Amino acid sequence: MADSPALPAVNREWHLLSRPVGWPRPEDFALVEAEVPTPGEGQVLVRNLFLSVDPYMRGRMSAAKSYVAPFELGKVMQGGAVGEVVASDAEGIAVGDHVLHFFGWREYAAVDAKNAVKVDPQAAPLSTYLGVLGMTGLTAYAGLLRTASFKEGDAVFVSGAAGAVGSQVGQIARLKGASRVIGSAGSDEKVKLLVDEYGFDAAFNYKAGPVGEQLRAAAPDGIDVYFDNVGGDHLEAAIGSLNRDGRIAVCGMISVYNNTEPAPGPRNLARLIQTRGRIEGFLVGDHYDLQPQFVQEVGAWVRSGELKYRETVVEGIDNTLEAFLGVLRGDNTGKMIVKL
């Protein structure tokens, strides 16, 4: 086994102590010291350099049955990470290689080689493999082009448009020939970013007034596609502005993740009858067959500067929980990344 001679004695990792009710509290979590694991046969030891924190992780903190198993109490949590291999007992992955894997929320991880994907730090910054060229990027790509069946000339509305997924959805729609791209965000600064940097045709601050009214003003001729990251009043507003044969792709509903009571549904679902509209939820895991096409097309846009991205970077393993809570509050512009 090839390895690095100087490994620390302690590995810090975040454990879930209790299942949050409503908004997660710091006392629901603990930063625990553990031994640095030794990789077994077919495994590599990775020193994590960047961690991903994402809205879906809130669902895994609940015991409710979902599309992915909940985090176990008293055990280290999981999430996307990219790091450097410091020991290897696996064919095809050497010490010094960089890999993408799913054992974040910790400093060091022993990973089965079959679950580690080699990435090239020369082709793109390592952090982008957690965002614009990673799972969030593929989510935007698959949700817009496959689930929402986007076609040239469509008017597209994106909620949470300054986030990691939403900002990419709007830009892909523009690059693919949308007639109009509209975004909502939670601050005037983010609204300005959407228009000035990401090329949205219009954007509005959803905190500044009723979403339905602001959407009608931004898209007086209606919308053909709505990419939903928020749910709630945004979904109702989108249904109200949906054109004939409009499509809604439901990616997330961050506005209701911390509710302790069921959120009321849209009150205007009957409009789907007259518009022949369609609402469809999706999970990125069902669309990994698009990965090669996605990397080729979006990677070229990133390299040429046609597709822009932002990252909000928080430093230190001890600040991972605060970074995650920041995502739920909407503190991030673009992808929230923790740099170790």
Side-chain angles (χ1 to χ4, degrees):
M1 178 174 69
D3 59 20
S4 168
L7 293 177
V10 172
N11 183 28
R12 291 182 294 170
E13 53 188 40
W14 281 96
H15 288 202
L16 182 66
L17 300 184
S18 57
R19 303 205 181 277
V21 177
W23 276 85
R25 303 166 303 163
E27 52 265 38
D28 295 323
F29 309 85
L31 183 59
V32 174
E33 291 189 350
E35 291 184 2
V36 175
T38 300
E41 185 177 352
Q43 289 190 324
V44 294
L45 180 64
V46 182
R47 178 170 66 91
N48 288 332
L49 300 175
F50 295 95
L51 307 179
S52 177
V53 286
D54 302 280
Y56 80 86
M57 293 174 175
R58 176 62 184 86
R60 296 196 67 186
M61 294 170 188
S62 165
K65 187 175 181 179
S66 185
Y67 61 88
V68 64
F71 293 134
E72 293 184 55
L73 292 180
K75 301 284 185 68
V76 61
M77 295 183 290
Q78 297 175 337
V82 65
E84 181 182 3
V85 174
V86 294
S88 176
D89 196 8
E91 293 279 339
I93 302 181
V95 170
D97 285 344
H98 292 84
V99 296
L100 173 67
H101 62 89
F102 206 68
F103 294 90
W105 290 85
R106 69 198 85 186
E107 292 176 308
Y108 287 83
V111 182
D112 289 343
K114 64 183 180 183
N115 295 327
V117 178
K118 284 204 285 189
V119 295
D120 183 0
Q122 302 303 316
L126 286 172
S127 59
T128 63
Y129 294 105
L130 296 175
V132 67
L133 295 179
M135 186 176 70
T136 52
L138 182 59
T139 300
Y141 190 85
L144 177 68
L145 301 182
R146 179 175 280 172
T147 306
S149 305
F150 171 85
K151 59 185 184 298
E152 187 176 352
D154 280 343
V156 177
F157 171 45
V158 188
S159 58
V165 173
S167 60
Q168 206 155 337
V169 171
Q171 292 184 82
I172 293 171
R174 176 176 55 78
L175 289 163
K176 288 280 193 180
S179 61
R180 190 165 178 79
V181 179
I182 304 105
S184 72
S187 72
D188 292 342
E189 181 182 19
K190 289 180 179 180
V191 166
K192 188 174 188 301
L193 173 73
L194 292 176
V195 175
D196 293 351
E197 185 165 329
Y198 294 151
F200 282 59
D201 296 288
F204 59 86
N205 181 348
Y206 65 83
K207 297 176 182 176
V211 175
E213 292 180 12
Q214 295 196 79
L215 177 57
R216 283 191 295 273
D221 296 324
I223 60 172
D224 303 297
V225 168
Y226 170 48
F227 193 103
D228 190 14
N229 290 307
V230 173
D233 55 354
H234 279 76
L235 178 56
E236 186 168 296
I239 293 170
S241 285
L242 207 61
N243 289 332
R244 168 76 187 263
D245 298 318
R247 290 88 65 204
I248 295 174
V250 181
C251 176
M253 293 192 173
I254 198 169
S255 70
V256 303
Y257 286 170
N258 296 303
N259 289 3
T260 55
E261 298 292 332
R267 297 165 295 180
N268 58 348
L269 281 172
R271 275 208 86 241
L272 295 177
I273 302 169
Q274 64 196 79
T275 62
R276 291 71 152 180
R278 168 167 65 86
I279 302 180
E280 183 177 345
F282 75 98
L283 295 172
V284 67
D286 296 333
H287 302 282
Y288 279 117
D289 61 296
L290 292 175
Q291 179 84 17
Q293 175 184 325
F294 157 72
V295 170
Q296 182 178 10
E297 188 165 25
V298 175
W301 285 333
V302 170
R303 286 190 295 274
S304 70
E306 293 173 275
L307 192 147
K308 303 181 189 307
Y309 67 94
R310 289 275 188 105
E311 294 174 341
T312 300
V313 179
V314 172
E315 301 257 353
I317 185 75
D318 43 343
N319 290 318
T320 305
L321 175 59
E322 181 56 30
F324 168 70
L325 297 175
V327 169
L328 297 183
R329 292 190 299 261
D331 294 351
N332 55 304
T333 298
K335 184 74 183 77
M336 181 71 89
I337 299 284
V338 179
K339 180 180 180 182
L340 303 190

